[in-house]
Each structure stands twice: as C-alpha cells, then as structure tokens.
Amino acid sequence: MFKEVIREIEKANKIYITGHINPDGDSIGSVFGLYFALKKIGKDVLPILSNYSSVFSFMPNISDGVESVKEDEYDLLICVDSSSKARLAIKEEDFNKAKTVIMIDHHQKDMPYGKVNAIDSSLPAASELIYNLVKEMNIEFDETIASYIYMGLMTDTGSFNYASTKPSTMRAAADLISVGIDFSEICKKINDTIKESKLFLIEKAISNMEVFYDGKVRYTFVDYDTISALGVDEEDAEGMTNYLRKVENTEVAVYVRGKQNGTLKVSMRSNGKVDIAKIAISFGGGGHVRASGYTMNLENSTYEKEKQKLIDLIGVNLNDDFSG
Ligand code: 5GP
Ligand code: MN
C-alpha cells in the first residue's frame, strides 16, 4: 500500500508531518509515531503541533512539536488523520512551501489533497496506517515510537472496544506492547484522569441536556463563556458526548460547544444505527459513521434554526437502521 509513499520519503530530506486541528490522540499518535520513526532513520523531520490538550503532555518528547515551518521551501509534507485540507493543523502558507504532499488517512469520504494518497477508511485509526507504514519500511519500533502509535490506536478505538476495531488492530497493539511500553500508564493518564474543572463542565453538559425522539437523541450545548468561566481549556472541552451516549436507548448524542473564535463546534456520536458521517458531511463536516462533527454555519441563519435542522435530520435518519 505504501510503495509510493516510501519512494517519496526516501527521496526527501527535509520533511514536516502534520495532523488535524484540535488534535486528538490518533492525530498526535500518528504524527509523532511517524516523526520518531523517520528521525530514527536519519531524516531531517519535524512534527507540526499546536493547541493540544494537556492530557497528552506526559507523552515522551511531545515538546518537539513546532507550530510553523522555518524554511522557505521543504521537500515533503506528510498529512495524517485529516480528511480535508482545510482541517490540517499546518498553516496554509506552510502547506504551500512543500514540494510534495502525501496524505495518509482513514476517514469516510476523504477528499484527497496529496500527490500521493494512502487512504483506508476500513481502519479504525490513522495510527494503524502508520504502524503498517513503519513496518513496511523495516524501521524497528522503540518505546517512543510504539507508545505514540499505541496511544493513537487506543484513543480512536475506545480502548479497542469500538466496532471499528479489527483483528489487525489488536495484532498491531500486541506487537507494540511487546516492545515494553507502559500501556497501562498511557490508559490511566488519558482515559482515567481529568482536571477538576472538567468535572464541572460535565455537570453543565448534563444539566443542559435535552432529549428528543423518546430518548433516542440526547443533545447538549455549552457556550464559550461558560467553558471559559469554568477555567476549562478549549482543547480540554471535548468529550461530553461520551456521557450522553451511555444512557440506555440512546442512538445519537450531540454536543455543541462555543469556541473562543465565536464559532460553534458540533460533535456527534452514534451507537450504530444512524450513519452520522452522512449527516456531518451534509453540514460541511466529516468523520466516521459513529463519530463525526462539523462547525455550524451561522451565516444567514441562527443557532436555533441550525439546531432544529440537525435534530430534524437525525430524526429522518433514526429509522434507517444502518448498521455501522
Ligand atoms: P470530534 O467529535 O471528536 O471532534 O470528531 C469526531 C470525528 O469527526 C473525528 O474523526 C473528526 O475527524 C471528525 N470531524 C469533527 N469535526 C469535523 C469537521 O469540522 N470537519 C470534518 N471534515 N471532520 C470533522
Ligand atoms: Mn483518527
């Protein structure tokens, strides 16, 4: 799968790797896993990273991440875990300085923007693609590379519990564990530790919850002023759908939050009957059948109207019984 990718990497000297804005564990895991692997074989490579949640601060040498490109020109940009060019973490001017662009991704309805595009939407995590790439390049996994890739697999599969998890994902994880990484610590730091401010955000999200269609849809909204007053960092304000979607009989959970830049970010989770990638794409966003999102377009509209459109569209799709 990676023949052309590897040919471009071999040709290149100066390389940057980027993921998506609001980086999640898979974005950070795939960027840094590949970064440390390419560094190991002597490439002049840097990871692009900005505005990441402090949850990831414990990961080894995460401070290697840079926000922008120093050079006027560089050989290769590798973009991982982002289905659209618009959502890349790299600045547009820095994107344009790359002589060649490679895209490596696993989202539904990717819009290829690379010269070489390695896309497999059957995989649960971009980090599984990076695992396969590093293996195909015969680069030996060390603890740092393995920790990042494992972290990406773990976070995008709900600790290997989402239906998207494949036997190959488990095999990759087993292989990475055999390197001797502290996978238990990675899980504890990421899944089982929150700041107290986040506990109060959860309280707000739950008290603002609205229920539609006999409890099949649970919706919550927290505005930016509230998030800010609670002292929750923007990067740490995600994840409220996790609580809503646990409630019995829920099919779709929606969390809308205000961002500092004045926009409203919609985050959706489906328990499997409703294809929410389709819904997010129709609003200009994207994602996966069970996890998707978009930014509400409030030009010529209002929050209330956009909210109603979303609830209506979910309602139309509730009886689809798509099994994803
Ligand atoms: P989250 O709810 O965690 O922010 O995002 C869930 C999934 O939806 C992720 O896989 C993410 O890539 C995708 N997603 C979220 N927001 C957007 C968006 O604005 N545009 C696109 N294309 N995908 C999004
Ligand atoms: Mn991903």
mmCIF file of all heavy atoms in Angstrom, residues 118-164:
data_model
loop_
_atom_site.group_PDB
_atom_site.id
_atom_site.type_symbol
_atom_site.label_atom_id
_atom_site.label_comp_id
_atom_site.label_asym_id
_atom_site.label_seq_id
_atom_site.Cartn_x
_atom_site.Cartn_y
_atom_site.Cartn_z
ATOM 1 N N ALA A 118 -2.656 7.753 0.572
ATOM 2 C CA ALA A 118 -2.807 6.400 1.109
ATOM 3 C C ALA A 118 -3.990 6.416 2.066
ATOM 4 O O ALA A 118 -3.867 6.866 3.213
ATOM 5 C CB ALA A 118 -1.531 5.970 1.824
ATOM 6 N N ILE A 119 -5.137 5.978 1.567
ATOM 7 C CA ILE A 119 -6.372 6.098 2.344
ATOM 8 C C ILE A 119 -6.988 4.714 2.532
ATOM 9 O O ILE A 119 -7.113 3.958 1.573
ATOM 10 C CB ILE A 119 -7.375 7.021 1.610
ATOM 11 C CG1 ILE A 119 -6.802 8.431 1.513
ATOM 12 C CG2 ILE A 119 -8.722 7.039 2.332
ATOM 13 C CD1 ILE A 119 -7.565 9.352 0.591
ATOM 14 N N ASP A 120 -7.338 4.405 3.778
ATOM 15 C CA ASP A 120 -8.051 3.155 4.031
ATOM 16 C C ASP A 120 -9.100 3.423 5.101
ATOM 17 O O ASP A 120 -8.803 3.419 6.297
ATOM 18 C CB ASP A 120 -7.068 2.071 4.484
ATOM 19 C CG ASP A 120 -7.764 0.715 4.624
ATOM 20 O OD1 ASP A 120 -9.016 0.684 4.618
ATOM 21 O OD2 ASP A 120 -7.063 -0.302 4.742
ATOM 22 N N SER A 121 -10.336 3.655 4.675
ATOM 23 C CA SER A 121 -11.378 4.023 5.643
ATOM 24 C C SER A 121 -11.911 2.793 6.378
ATOM 25 O O SER A 121 -12.793 2.916 7.217
ATOM 26 C CB SER A 121 -12.501 4.792 4.957
ATOM 27 O OG SER A 121 -13.095 3.985 3.987
ATOM 28 N N SER A 122 -11.356 1.612 6.084
ATOM 29 C CA SER A 122 -11.777 0.434 6.847
ATOM 30 C C SER A 122 -11.004 0.331 8.168
ATOM 31 O O SER A 122 -11.355 -0.465 9.034
ATOM 32 C CB SER A 122 -11.564 -0.846 6.024
ATOM 33 O OG SER A 122 -10.196 -1.190 5.996
ATOM 34 N N LEU A 123 -9.966 1.135 8.310
ATOM 35 C CA LEU A 123 -9.165 1.048 9.543
ATOM 36 C C LEU A 123 -9.678 2.022 10.603
ATOM 37 O O LEU A 123 -10.107 3.131 10.284
ATOM 38 C CB LEU A 123 -7.687 1.328 9.239
ATOM 39 C CG LEU A 123 -7.000 0.270 8.360
ATOM 40 C CD1 LEU A 123 -5.527 0.613 8.174
ATOM 41 C CD2 LEU A 123 -7.139 -1.128 8.953
ATOM 42 N N PRO A 124 -9.637 1.620 11.882
ATOM 43 C CA PRO A 124 -10.212 2.454 12.936
ATOM 44 C C PRO A 124 -9.358 3.660 13.308
ATOM 45 O O PRO A 124 -9.847 4.580 13.948
ATOM 46 C CB PRO A 124 -10.310 1.494 14.120
ATOM 47 C CG PRO A 124 -9.210 0.524 13.907
ATOM 48 C CD PRO A 124 -9.117 0.344 12.411
ATOM 49 N N ALA A 125 -8.086 3.636 12.940
ATOM 50 C CA ALA A 125 -7.197 4.724 13.370
ATOM 51 C C ALA A 125 -6.141 4.989 12.305
ATOM 52 O O ALA A 125 -5.640 4.054 11.664
ATOM 53 C CB ALA A 125 -6.499 4.334 14.679
ATOM 54 N N ALA A 126 -5.799 6.250 12.137
ATOM 55 C CA ALA A 126 -4.692 6.590 11.241
ATOM 56 C C ALA A 126 -3.417 5.939 11.770
ATOM 57 O O ALA A 126 -2.517 5.576 11.013
ATOM 58 C CB ALA A 126 -4.527 8.099 11.151
ATOM 59 N N SER A 127 -3.360 5.781 13.093
ATOM 60 C CA SER A 127 -2.176 5.175 13.704
ATOM 61 C C SER A 127 -1.952 3.739 13.237
ATOM 62 O O SER A 127 -0.824 3.261 13.228
ATOM 63 C CB SER A 127 -2.292 5.222 15.229
ATOM 64 O OG SER A 127 -2.288 6.563 15.658
ATOM 65 N N GLU A 128 -3.041 3.041 12.834
ATOM 66 C CA GLU A 128 -2.829 1.686 12.302
ATOM 67 C C GLU A 128 -2.148 1.769 10.936
ATOM 68 O O GLU A 128 -1.311 0.928 10.585
ATOM 69 C CB GLU A 128 -4.140 0.892 12.223
ATOM 70 C CG GLU A 128 -3.867 -0.566 11.851
ATOM 71 C CD GLU A 128 -5.051 -1.507 12.004
ATOM 72 O OE1 GLU A 128 -6.021 -1.181 12.722
ATOM 73 O OE2 GLU A 128 -5.004 -2.595 11.385
ATOM 74 N N LEU A 129 -2.494 2.786 10.169
ATOM 75 C CA LEU A 129 -1.795 3.001 8.888
ATOM 76 C C LEU A 129 -0.315 3.300 9.142
ATOM 77 O O LEU A 129 0.564 2.802 8.429
ATOM 78 C CB LEU A 129 -2.447 4.158 8.125
ATOM 79 C CG LEU A 129 -3.749 3.806 7.381
ATOM 80 C CD1 LEU A 129 -4.588 5.052 7.137
ATOM 81 C CD2 LEU A 129 -3.444 3.114 6.058
ATOM 82 N N ILE A 130 -0.047 4.109 10.156
ATOM 83 C CA ILE A 130 1.355 4.451 10.462
ATOM 84 C C ILE A 130 2.110 3.206 10.958
ATOM 85 O O ILE A 130 3.263 2.986 10.585
ATOM 86 C CB ILE A 130 1.425 5.607 11.507
ATOM 87 C CG1 ILE A 130 0.746 6.865 10.949
ATOM 88 C CG2 ILE A 130 2.879 5.895 11.905
ATOM 89 C CD1 ILE A 130 1.278 7.371 9.625
ATOM 90 N N TYR A 131 1.424 2.395 11.758
ATOM 91 C CA TYR A 131 2.036 1.132 12.194
ATOM 92 C C TYR A 131 2.452 0.314 10.964
ATOM 93 O O TYR A 131 3.584 -0.171 10.863
ATOM 94 C CB TYR A 131 1.042 0.338 13.054
ATOM 95 C CG TYR A 131 1.498 -1.075 13.340
ATOM 96 C CD1 TYR A 131 2.365 -1.347 14.393
ATOM 97 C CD2 TYR A 131 1.072 -2.143 12.532
ATOM 98 C CE1 TYR A 131 2.811 -2.640 14.634
ATOM 99 C CE2 TYR A 131 1.512 -3.432 12.768
ATOM 100 C CZ TYR A 131 2.380 -3.680 13.816
ATOM 101 O OH TYR A 131 2.819 -4.959 14.045
ATOM 102 N N ASN A 132 1.524 0.193 10.004
ATOM 103 C CA ASN A 132 1.804 -0.592 8.790
ATOM 104 C C ASN A 132 2.937 0.024 7.973
ATOM 105 O O ASN A 132 3.778 -0.690 7.428
ATOM 106 C CB ASN A 132 0.545 -0.696 7.926
ATOM 107 C CG ASN A 132 -0.529 -1.543 8.584
ATOM 108 O OD1 ASN A 132 -0.235 -2.384 9.427
ATOM 109 N ND2 ASN A 132 -1.786 -1.308 8.216
ATOM 110 N N LEU A 133 2.948 1.338 7.903
ATOM 111 C CA LEU A 133 3.996 2.027 7.132
ATOM 112 C C LEU A 133 5.379 1.802 7.765
ATOM 113 O O LEU A 133 6.342 1.481 7.070
ATOM 114 C CB LEU A 133 3.667 3.528 7.044
ATOM 115 C CG LEU A 133 4.745 4.439 6.449
ATOM 116 C CD1 LEU A 133 5.084 4.028 5.007
ATOM 117 C CD2 LEU A 133 4.296 5.913 6.476
ATOM 118 N N VAL A 134 5.443 1.986 9.081
ATOM 119 C CA VAL A 134 6.735 1.825 9.780
ATOM 120 C C VAL A 134 7.239 0.388 9.608
ATOM 121 O O VAL A 134 8.417 0.147 9.369
ATOM 122 C CB VAL A 134 6.595 2.209 11.278
ATOM 123 C CG1 VAL A 134 7.855 1.861 12.064
ATOM 124 C CG2 VAL A 134 6.295 3.703 11.407
ATOM 125 N N LYS A 135 6.316 -0.559 9.663
ATOM 126 C CA LYS A 135 6.691 -1.973 9.457
ATOM 127 C C LYS A 135 7.199 -2.197 8.037
ATOM 128 O O LYS A 135 8.232 -2.841 7.827
ATOM 129 C CB LYS A 135 5.471 -2.868 9.704
ATOM 130 C CG LYS A 135 5.427 -3.438 11.092
ATOM 131 C CD LYS A 135 4.622 -4.717 11.156
ATOM 132 C CE LYS A 135 5.436 -5.963 11.404
ATOM 133 N NZ LYS A 135 6.106 -6.015 12.692
ATOM 134 N N GLU A 136 6.444 -1.642 7.076
ATOM 135 C CA GLU A 136 6.833 -1.828 5.669
ATOM 136 C C GLU A 136 8.201 -1.194 5.384
ATOM 137 O O GLU A 136 8.936 -1.643 4.513
ATOM 138 C CB GLU A 136 5.747 -1.224 4.761
ATOM 139 C CG GLU A 136 5.719 -1.827 3.367
ATOM 140 C CD GLU A 136 4.481 -1.397 2.578
ATOM 141 O OE1 GLU A 136 3.339 -1.465 3.112
ATOM 142 O OE2 GLU A 136 4.649 -0.975 1.410
ATOM 143 N N MET A 137 8.550 -0.162 6.157
ATOM 144 C CA MET A 137 9.858 0.483 5.981
ATOM 145 C C MET A 137 10.960 -0.240 6.755
ATOM 146 O O MET A 137 12.120 0.187 6.725
ATOM 147 C CB MET A 137 9.793 1.950 6.441
ATOM 148 C CG MET A 137 8.923 2.824 5.541
ATOM 149 S SD MET A 137 8.954 4.558 6.062
ATOM 150 C CE MET A 137 10.523 5.080 5.367
ATOM 151 N N ASN A 138 10.572 -1.308 7.462
ATOM 152 C CA ASN A 138 11.526 -2.083 8.268
ATOM 153 C C ASN A 138 12.233 -1.255 9.337
ATOM 154 O O ASN A 138 13.406 -1.483 9.651
ATOM 155 C CB ASN A 138 12.588 -2.756 7.387
ATOM 156 C CG ASN A 138 11.974 -3.839 6.537
ATOM 157 O OD1 ASN A 138 11.196 -4.640 7.038
ATOM 158 N ND2 ASN A 138 12.301 -3.834 5.245
ATOM 159 N N ILE A 139 11.520 -0.283 9.883
ATOM 160 C CA ILE A 139 12.076 0.501 10.987
ATOM 161 C C ILE A 139 11.656 -0.197 12.284
ATOM 162 O O ILE A 139 10.474 -0.517 12.462
ATOM 163 C CB ILE A 139 11.558 1.957 10.975
ATOM 164 C CG1 ILE A 139 11.897 2.630 9.648
ATOM 165 C CG2 ILE A 139 12.119 2.743 12.158
ATOM 166 C CD1 ILE A 139 11.208 3.963 9.417
ATOM 167 N N GLU A 140 12.623 -0.422 13.148
ATOM 168 C CA GLU A 140 12.304 -1.138 14.382
ATOM 169 C C GLU A 140 11.572 -0.219 15.367
ATOM 170 O O GLU A 140 11.990 0.918 15.583
ATOM 171 C CB GLU A 140 13.608 -1.637 15.002
ATOM 172 C CG GLU A 140 13.402 -2.863 15.873
ATOM 173 C CD GLU A 140 14.744 -3.370 16.398
ATOM 174 O OE1 GLU A 140 15.691 -3.477 15.591
ATOM 175 O OE2 GLU A 140 14.807 -3.616 17.614
ATOM 176 N N PHE A 141 10.486 -0.697 15.952
ATOM 177 C CA PHE A 141 9.752 0.098 16.939
ATOM 178 C C PHE A 141 10.573 0.201 18.211
ATOM 179 O O PHE A 141 10.997 -0.814 18.752
ATOM 180 C CB PHE A 141 8.412 -0.567 17.275
ATOM 181 C CG PHE A 141 7.457 -0.619 16.118
ATOM 182 C CD1 PHE A 141 7.269 -1.791 15.400
ATOM 183 C CD2 PHE A 141 6.754 0.514 15.729
ATOM 184 C CE1 PHE A 141 6.393 -1.844 14.326
ATOM 185 C CE2 PHE A 141 5.873 0.475 14.646
ATOM 186 C CZ PHE A 141 5.692 -0.705 13.947
ATOM 187 N N ASP A 142 10.805 1.441 18.666
ATOM 188 C CA ASP A 142 11.376 1.582 20.006
ATOM 189 C C ASP A 142 10.242 2.025 20.926
ATOM 190 O O ASP A 142 9.091 2.171 20.491
ATOM 191 C CB ASP A 142 12.557 2.565 20.016
ATOM 192 C CG ASP A 142 12.184 3.938 19.482
ATOM 193 O OD1 ASP A 142 10.994 4.329 19.605
ATOM 194 O OD2 ASP A 142 13.061 4.633 18.933
ATOM 195 N N GLU A 143 10.558 2.263 22.198
ATOM 196 C CA GLU A 143 9.480 2.567 23.150
ATOM 197 C C GLU A 143 8.719 3.843 22.797
ATOM 198 O O GLU A 143 7.512 3.930 22.985
ATOM 199 C CB GLU A 143 10.053 2.678 24.566
ATOM 200 C CG GLU A 143 10.013 1.363 25.299
ATOM 201 C CD GLU A 143 10.309 1.513 26.776
ATOM 202 O OE1 GLU A 143 9.680 2.370 27.425
ATOM 203 O OE2 GLU A 143 11.183 0.783 27.264
ATOM 204 N N THR A 144 9.469 4.832 22.298
ATOM 205 C CA THR A 144 8.810 6.102 21.983
ATOM 206 C C THR A 144 7.868 5.943 20.795
ATOM 207 O O THR A 144 6.690 6.326 20.859
ATOM 208 C CB THR A 144 9.875 7.183 21.682
ATOM 209 O OG1 THR A 144 10.756 7.259 22.797
ATOM 210 C CG2 THR A 144 9.237 8.536 21.448
ATOM 211 N N ILE A 145 8.366 5.364 19.718
ATOM 212 C CA ILE A 145 7.523 5.161 18.522
ATOM 213 C C ILE A 145 6.308 4.319 18.909
ATOM 214 O O ILE A 145 5.155 4.656 18.579
ATOM 215 C CB ILE A 145 8.313 4.438 17.398
ATOM 216 C CG1 ILE A 145 9.574 5.210 17.003
ATOM 217 C CG2 ILE A 145 7.417 4.213 16.170
ATOM 218 C CD1 ILE A 145 10.524 4.437 16.081
ATOM 219 N N ALA A 146 6.563 3.235 19.629
ATOM 220 C CA ALA A 146 5.486 2.304 19.983
ATOM 221 C C ALA A 146 4.456 2.963 20.898
ATOM 222 O O ALA A 146 3.255 2.750 20.745
ATOM 223 C CB ALA A 146 6.074 1.056 20.645
ATOM 224 N N SER A 147 4.921 3.811 21.840
ATOM 225 C CA SER A 147 3.985 4.468 22.760
ATOM 226 C C SER A 147 3.026 5.375 22.009
ATOM 227 O O SER A 147 1.821 5.407 22.277
ATOM 228 C CB SER A 147 4.739 5.310 23.790
ATOM 229 O OG SER A 147 5.501 4.489 24.623
ATOM 230 N N TYR A 148 3.555 6.138 21.058
ATOM 231 C CA TYR A 148 2.684 7.048 20.303
ATOM 232 C C TYR A 148 1.678 6.289 19.436
ATOM 233 O O TYR A 148 0.491 6.624 19.411
ATOM 234 C CB TYR A 148 3.516 8.003 19.427
ATOM 235 C CG TYR A 148 3.952 9.223 20.203
ATOM 236 C CD1 TYR A 148 5.237 9.341 20.704
ATOM 237 C CD2 TYR A 148 3.052 10.264 20.439
ATOM 238 C CE1 TYR A 148 5.634 10.454 21.423
ATOM 239 C CE2 TYR A 148 3.430 11.387 21.158
ATOM 240 C CZ TYR A 148 4.728 11.483 21.650
ATOM 241 O OH TYR A 148 5.086 12.589 22.368
ATOM 242 N N ILE A 149 2.161 5.280 18.735
ATOM 243 C CA ILE A 149 1.241 4.561 17.843
ATOM 244 C C ILE A 149 0.190 3.816 18.668
ATOM 245 O O ILE A 149 -1.003 3.837 18.348
ATOM 246 C CB ILE A 149 2.011 3.611 16.897
ATOM 247 C CG1 ILE A 149 2.951 4.436 15.997
ATOM 248 C CG2 ILE A 149 1.034 2.807 16.034
ATOM 249 C CD1 ILE A 149 3.792 3.623 15.033
ATOM 250 N N TYR A 150 0.614 3.224 19.779
ATOM 251 C CA TYR A 150 -0.343 2.537 20.653
ATOM 252 C C TYR A 150 -1.389 3.521 21.173
ATOM 253 O O TYR A 150 -2.590 3.233 21.194
ATOM 254 C CB TYR A 150 0.389 1.878 21.837
ATOM 255 C CG TYR A 150 -0.555 1.151 22.756
ATOM 256 C CD1 TYR A 150 -0.879 -0.176 22.534
ATOM 257 C CD2 TYR A 150 -1.173 1.822 23.815
ATOM 258 C CE1 TYR A 150 -1.788 -0.835 23.351
ATOM 259 C CE2 TYR A 150 -2.075 1.177 24.633
ATOM 260 C CZ TYR A 150 -2.373 -0.150 24.401
ATOM 261 O OH TYR A 150 -3.280 -0.793 25.203
ATOM 262 N N MET A 151 -0.916 4.718 21.570
ATOM 263 C CA MET A 151 -1.825 5.734 22.106
ATOM 264 C C MET A 151 -2.872 6.110 21.051
ATOM 265 O O MET A 151 -4.058 6.257 21.353
ATOM 266 C CB MET A 151 -0.980 6.948 22.523
ATOM 267 C CG MET A 151 -1.680 7.988 23.338
ATOM 268 S SD MET A 151 -2.400 9.251 22.313
ATOM 269 C CE MET A 151 -0.975 10.185 21.821
ATOM 270 N N GLY A 152 -2.444 6.226 19.788
ATOM 271 C CA GLY A 152 -3.381 6.542 18.702
ATOM 272 C C GLY A 152 -4.402 5.435 18.484
ATOM 273 O O GLY A 152 -5.600 5.700 18.319
ATOM 274 N N LEU A 153 -3.930 4.202 18.509
ATOM 275 C CA LEU A 153 -4.849 3.057 18.341
ATOM 276 C C LEU A 153 -5.857 3.029 19.480
ATOM 277 O O LEU A 153 -7.061 2.888 19.273
ATOM 278 C CB LEU A 153 -4.072 1.732 18.338
ATOM 279 C CG LEU A 153 -3.074 1.460 17.221
ATOM 280 C CD1 LEU A 153 -2.380 0.111 17.464
ATOM 281 C CD2 LEU A 153 -3.762 1.455 15.863
ATOM 282 N N MET A 154 -5.344 3.205 20.691
ATOM 283 C CA MET A 154 -6.195 3.113 21.879
ATOM 284 C C MET A 154 -7.289 4.190 21.880
ATOM 285 O O MET A 154 -8.455 3.903 22.126
ATOM 286 C CB MET A 154 -5.320 3.255 23.138
ATOM 287 C CG MET A 154 -6.073 3.083 24.443
ATOM 288 S SD MET A 154 -5.109 3.676 25.850
ATOM 289 C CE MET A 154 -5.501 5.426 25.820
ATOM 290 N N THR A 155 -6.892 5.427 21.556
ATOM 291 C CA THR A 155 -7.867 6.517 21.666
ATOM 292 C C THR A 155 -8.923 6.463 20.561
ATOM 293 O O THR A 155 -10.085 6.743 20.807
ATOM 294 C CB THR A 155 -7.174 7.894 21.659
ATOM 295 O OG1 THR A 155 -6.270 7.957 20.556
ATOM 296 C CG2 THR A 155 -6.410 8.133 22.947
ATOM 297 N N ASP A 156 -8.539 6.088 19.332
ATOM 298 C CA ASP A 156 -9.536 6.079 18.252
ATOM 299 C C ASP A 156 -10.417 4.830 18.239
ATOM 300 O O ASP A 156 -11.377 4.758 17.479
ATOM 301 C CB ASP A 156 -8.848 6.245 16.878
ATOM 302 C CG ASP A 156 -9.128 7.626 16.276
ATOM 303 O OD1 ASP A 156 -9.425 8.554 17.059
ATOM 304 O OD2 ASP A 156 -9.062 7.788 15.033
ATOM 305 N N THR A 157 -10.087 3.844 19.076
ATOM 306 C CA THR A 157 -10.909 2.634 19.122
ATOM 307 C C THR A 157 -11.658 2.499 20.448
ATOM 308 O O THR A 157 -12.247 1.448 20.721
ATOM 309 C CB THR A 157 -10.035 1.357 18.979
ATOM 310 O OG1 THR A 157 -9.074 1.346 20.047
ATOM 311 C CG2 THR A 157 -9.333 1.295 17.640
ATOM 312 N N GLY A 158 -11.639 3.563 21.277
ATOM 313 C CA GLY A 158 -12.252 3.457 22.594
ATOM 314 C C GLY A 158 -11.630 2.292 23.352
ATOM 315 O O GLY A 158 -12.345 1.385 23.803
ATOM 316 N N SER A 159 -10.310 2.312 23.432
ATOM 317 C CA SER A 159 -9.560 1.232 24.086
ATOM 318 C C SER A 159 -9.909 -0.140 23.504
ATOM 319 O O SER A 159 -10.135 -1.099 24.242
ATOM 320 C CB SER A 159 -9.796 1.248 25.603
ATOM 321 O OG SER A 159 -9.357 2.478 26.124
ATOM 322 N N PHE A 160 -9.950 -0.181 22.170
ATOM 323 C CA PHE A 160 -10.161 -1.439 21.424
ATOM 324 C C PHE A 160 -11.547 -2.029 21.633
ATOM 325 O O PHE A 160 -11.741 -3.228 21.488
ATOM 326 C CB PHE A 160 -9.056 -2.459 21.779
ATOM 327 C CG PHE A 160 -7.677 -1.867 21.651
ATOM 328 C CD1 PHE A 160 -7.000 -1.380 22.764
ATOM 329 C CD2 PHE A 160 -7.068 -1.737 20.406
ATOM 330 C CE1 PHE A 160 -5.748 -0.783 22.648
ATOM 331 C CE2 PHE A 160 -5.815 -1.143 20.285
ATOM 332 C CZ PHE A 160 -5.155 -0.669 21.403
ATOM 333 N N ASN A 161 -12.503 -1.145 21.946
ATOM 334 C CA ASN A 161 -13.863 -1.628 22.159
ATOM 335 C C ASN A 161 -14.842 -1.230 21.068
ATOM 336 O O ASN A 161 -15.908 -1.825 20.959
ATOM 337 C CB ASN A 161 -14.388 -1.122 23.507
ATOM 338 C CG ASN A 161 -13.771 -1.884 24.655
ATOM 339 O OD1 ASN A 161 -13.805 -3.113 24.668
ATOM 340 N ND2 ASN A 161 -13.175 -1.175 25.585
ATOM 341 N N TYR A 162 -14.540 -0.188 20.284
ATOM 342 C CA TYR A 162 -15.477 0.200 19.235
ATOM 343 C C TYR A 162 -15.546 -0.897 18.179
ATOM 344 O O TYR A 162 -14.571 -1.623 17.939
ATOM 345 C CB TYR A 162 -15.045 1.506 18.556
ATOM 346 C CG TYR A 162 -15.080 2.728 19.443
ATOM 347 C CD1 TYR A 162 -14.385 3.879 19.081
ATOM 348 C CD2 TYR A 162 -15.815 2.752 20.622
ATOM 349 C CE1 TYR A 162 -14.394 5.012 19.878
ATOM 350 C CE2 TYR A 162 -15.833 3.883 21.427
ATOM 351 C CZ TYR A 162 -15.122 5.005 21.057
ATOM 352 O OH TYR A 162 -15.135 6.127 21.844
ATOM 353 N N ALA A 163 -16.703 -0.953 17.519
ATOM 354 C CA ALA A 163 -16.909 -1.986 16.497
ATOM 355 C C ALA A 163 -15.924 -1.845 15.336
ATOM 356 O O ALA A 163 -15.704 -2.787 14.581
ATOM 357 C CB ALA A 163 -18.342 -1.904 15.980
ATOM 358 N N SER A 164 -15.339 -0.666 15.202
ATOM 359 C CA SER A 164 -14.379 -0.437 14.113
ATOM 360 C C SER A 164 -13.056 -1.186 14.332
ATOM 361 O O SER A 164 -12.273 -1.355 13.407
ATOM 362 C CB SER A 164 -14.099 1.068 14.007
ATOM 363 O OG SER A 164 -13.650 1.558 15.261
#
